[in-house]
Amino acid sequence: MKYFVVRWCAENNQFSVIRENNILDGTVRANPDVALGKEVKVSWKNEEYEAVLLAFGNKKEMDKCCDELAEEAFEQDIGQPIQQSSTSSNLQLTTPTYGARTKKKRRRLENVLSRIATAEELPPADDPPVHLTDWQSLYNLEKEKSEALELKLGRLKGYIKLHMLVSNFFILDLNAYFNGLQKVFFNFLTTIADGVHVERGALSTAKLMSTGPATLARNLFRIVFTKEELYGKSLLGKMCNANKNTNQLPSIDSVRRDAVIMYCLSAYGHTSDPTKGKEALMQYRCMKKDVIASLSKYLREVNKSRSGSLAENVSLPVNHADTV
């Protein structure tokens, strides 16, 4: 790759080393000898500039050439000769370099030296003395501000504590209120099993109207289950041996069903405890069969009444045949 030394037209004594890709004219890139000493268009940092083509060659030679051109320009500006190397006179200008950097560094150094010299000539500035009373007043002012902020912070902490106390009081009050409601609610209910509650008055009425576990189971079924929950359901969800042609119905809620059966048996002293003896165990099993049979019959009656009421609501078709 070729490198070119150019002198910028905008800056008369500013030189740079550029690559051949920065030359916009393709003929100049192909035959740089024709364009030496002429103005060409150069692309530099995505912008177009005009520059005079001075030399071309490899990068090392162009860097050296650019430095020498910058030194010569600097020598002309300040009027002092700069010692040149012995090889500089024999070097032909064939390539460009970034010699403008050396020139910029020298100019910056001159500017700094000139500012230092002018600064030494200026008289020292007379700063106004700082009195102790001014510092004391500033200290007092800042102390008053800090005391006011501490006072506001103390009030804010007090408000926060008061808010926490009030909120805790309301939380305790609400907890006591809900606990009281819960006690009142459970005073009207009786638990016959885990999660199954029955109104105390309704349970007393069911016991009063019952003559045995089977009757009590029917009465409790009317309290624990609604008719909508019993429609289209069976007690155990099994196929009936007597009616094998009918469709198998799903069972009702097993939790409430078992709770009613076990409560009815325990209410009349029937238990499955083997320590009570064989007779008590046999009696328990017989009474459980009676309760299950009674409840199954009750469910069939409910479903039958449901189907009968639906049949009554269905209108019969009208015969439009001509009568003789």
Side-chain angles (χ1 to χ4, degrees), residues 174-316:
L174 287 175
N175 291 334
Y177 176 73
F178 284 115
N179 290 334
L181 285 179
Q182 189 175 8
K183 290 179 181 179
V184 171
F185 176 73
F186 283 106
N187 285 335
F188 288 98
L189 297 178
T190 299
T191 303
I192 62 175
D194 292 338
V196 182
H197 308 285
V198 181
E199 292 184 6
R200 183 167 300 189
L203 182 60
S204 300
T205 304
K207 286 183 177 180
L208 185 63
M209 299 296 293
S210 301
T211 59
T215 311
L216 179 60
R218 284 195 173 203
N219 294 330
L220 284 181
F221 249 52
R222 294 185 181 95
I223 298 172
V224 175
F225 294 98
T226 61
K227 288 186 177 182
E228 286 75 10
E229 292 177 339
L230 299 178
Y231 289 151
K233 302 289 182 65
S234 63
L235 184 65
L236 302 176
K238 298 180 180 179
M239 182 67 72
C240 180
N241 294 327
N243 299 319
K244 293 184 178 180
N245 296 327
T246 59
N247 296 326
Q248 183 178 355
L249 299 177
S251 65
I252 59 176
D253 185 13
S254 60
V255 176
R256 288 182 287 173
R257 177 198 66 196
D258 296 341
V260 171
I261 294 173
M262 298 305 297
Y263 179 78
C264 294
L265 293 173
S266 62
Y268 285 90
H270 301 291
T271 178
S272 60
D273 189 4
T275 58
K276 298 292 183 180
K278 292 184 179 180
E279 294 182 0
L281 186 60
M282 292 296 295
Q283 189 176 5
Y284 167 78
R285 292 176 179 175
C286 292
M287 294 305 300
K288 185 176 182 181
K289 288 182 180 179
D290 293 341
V291 171
I292 291 174
S294 177
L295 292 177
S296 299
K297 185 178 180 181
Y298 172 69
L299 285 175
R300 288 195 296 271
E301 292 173 356
V302 170
N303 290 324
K304 186 176 181 180
S305 63
R306 173 70 172 178
S307 60
S309 61
L310 291 175
E312 292 177 358
N313 294 331
V314 176
S315 60
L316 297 176

Side-chain angles (χ1 to χ4, degrees), residues 66-77:
C66 187
D67 292 338
E68 291 176 356
L69 291 174
E71 289 176 358
E72 291 177 1
F74 180 73
E75 179 182 347
Q76 294 176 2
D77 291 340

Side-chain angles (χ1 to χ4, degrees), residues 4 32-38 52-56 93-94:
F4 295 83
D33 295 330
V34 181
L36 287 176
K38 297 181 181 180
V52 178
L53 188 61
L54 300 178
F56 66 91
L93 297 179
T94 55

Side-chain angles (χ1 to χ4, degrees), residues 5-70:
V5 174
V6 295
R7 177 173 54 81
W8 303 104
C9 296
E11 297 289 339
N12 192 22
N13 291 329
Q14 186 172 353
F15 306 91
S16 298
V17 176
I18 61 174
R19 298 183 178 182
E20 60 179 351
N21 297 334
N22 297 110
I23 304 295
L24 299 179
D25 193 352
T27 58
V28 176
R29 292 197 299 268
N31 298 317
D33 295 330
V34 181
L36 287 176
K38 297 181 181 180
E39 293 184 1
V40 294
K41 290 186 178 181
V42 177
S43 174
W44 186 264
K45 295 182 180 180
N46 299 327
E47 293 185 6
E48 284 189 16
Y49 297 95
E50 291 184 356
V52 178
L53 188 61
L54 300 178
F56 66 91
N58 57 34
K59 189 171 188 314
K60 186 176 180 181
E61 292 178 351
M62 294 302 100
D63 288 339
K64 189 173 182 180
C65 179
C66 187
D67 292 338
E68 291 176 356
L69 291 174

